[in-house]
C-alpha cells in the first residue's frame, strides 16, 4: 500500500458490468488502481459507491453506507446457499441465465509476482527487485488476465494484480 501511496494511487475493489457496442454483456470484479484524486478514493470503510451511465441521463453516482463486514458476509453465504439449492425466489419468472463475455473489455494491469515468472505476462515496463518483479502489462482482455493469474497461482506463484484506471 505504501508503494501505491508513493505514486498517488489508491486501491479499490470494483465491480464492472455493461454491454459492448456489438451487444455482448460483460461482468467482473477486480482490484483497480485509481488516482487519489478520483471520486472512488473518497469512499472509505464500509461505504459503497455505484456509478451508472444512462443513455439519456449521463453519469449518475450514488454513495452510501454498506451493510458492514458481518452482515455482508452472512448475506453472501445466504445467496450462495440459495444458488447451490436452486432457490430462485429473488429472480423474476422470465429471468434467464446469460454468460458474461469478458473478452470485450481490456486494460493494462499492475502486477507483482516472483521474478522467475516475469516472462509469463506481456509487460510494457517492469522492475526486478531481487526475487520480485513489479510491472505494468500491455492492454489485456479481462478474461485473459484473470486466466493467466489463475494459472500462475495454481502453479504456486504468489501474484497480486490490479487494473490500471486510465
Amino acid at each position: 500500500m505504501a508503494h501505491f501511496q508513493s505514486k498517488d494511487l489508491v486501491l479499490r475493489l470494483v465491480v464492472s458490468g455493461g454491454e459492448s457496442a456489438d451487444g455482448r454483456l460483460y461482468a467482473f470484479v477486480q482490484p483497480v488502481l485509481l488516482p487519489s484524486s478520483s471520486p472512488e478514493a473518497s469512499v472509505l470503510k464500509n461505504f459503497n459507491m455505484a456509478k451508472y451511465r444512462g443513455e439519456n441521463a449521463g453519469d449518475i453516482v450514488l454513495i452510501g453506507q454498506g451493510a458492514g463486514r458481518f452482515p455482508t458476509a452472512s448475506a453472501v453465504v445466504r445467496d450462495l446457499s440459495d444458488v447451490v439449492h436452486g432457490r430462485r425466489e429473488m429472480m423474476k419468472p422470465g429471468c434467464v441465465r446469460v454468460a458474461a463475455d469478458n473478452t470485450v473489455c481490456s486494460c493494462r494491469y499492475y502486477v507483482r509476482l516472483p521474478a522467475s515468472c516475469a516472462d509469463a505476462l506481456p509487460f510494457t515496463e517492469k522492475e526486478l527487485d531481487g526475487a520480485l518483479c513489479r510491472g505494468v502489462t500491455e492492454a489485456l482482455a479481462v478474461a485473459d488476465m484473470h486466466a493467466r493469474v489463475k494459472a500462475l497461482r495454481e502453479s504456486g506463484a504468489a501474484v497480486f494484480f490490479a487494473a490500471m484506471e486510465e
Side-chain angles (χ1 to χ4, degrees):
M1 295 311 294
H3 177 73
F4 299 142
Q5 289 170 345
S6 74
K7 297 187 178 298
D8 208 24
L9 298 170
V10 296
L11 182 67
R12 295 290 184 261
L13 189 60
V14 176
V15 176
S16 298
E19 184 175 356
S20 68
D22 60 0
R24 293 184 283 173
L25 301 177
Y26 60 89
F28 53 89
V29 178
Q30 64 184 5
V32 177
L33 284 170
L34 303 147
S36 63
S37 60
S38 71
E40 293 87 350
S42 66
V43 181
L44 304 172
K45 298 194 179 191
N46 68 322
F47 281 77
N48 296 315
M49 175 180 175
K51 243 181 1 184
Y52 302 94
R53 177 165 291 147
E55 194 171 298
N56 296 312
D59 289 342
I60 300 169
V61 178
L62 304 169
I63 297 177
Q65 191 162 9
R69 186 168 114 193
F70 295 115
T72 299
S74 67
V76 168
V77 169
R78 202 169 32 254
D79 289 348
L80 291 172
S81 174
D82 286 348
V83 169
V84 167
H85 293 97
R87 291 191 285 268
R88 300 174 52 98
E89 290 84 16
M90 292 178 60
M91 296 181 202
K92 294 180 181 180
C95 185
V96 295
R97 181 182 301 265
V98 177
D101 183 354
N102 295 332
T103 64
V104 299
C105 300
S106 62
C107 52
R108 295 178 347 130
Y109 288 91
Y110 168 88
V111 183
R112 186 185 67 233
L113 74 169
S116 60
C117 300
D119 292 336
L121 294 168
F123 286 106
T124 58
E125 52 189 87
K126 66 181 170 183
E127 169 187 312
L128 297 174
D129 182 14
L132 276 182
C133 174
R134 291 184 183 94
V136 177
T137 68
E138 64 185 41
L140 294 169
V142 170
D144 183 29
M145 184 60 180
H146 286 241
R148 288 175 185 239
V149 169
K150 180 180 179 184
L152 284 164
R153 288 177 175 162
E154 286 174 349
S155 73
V159 180
F160 169 82
F161 74 104
M164 303 289 295
E165 176 86 1
E166 297 178 296

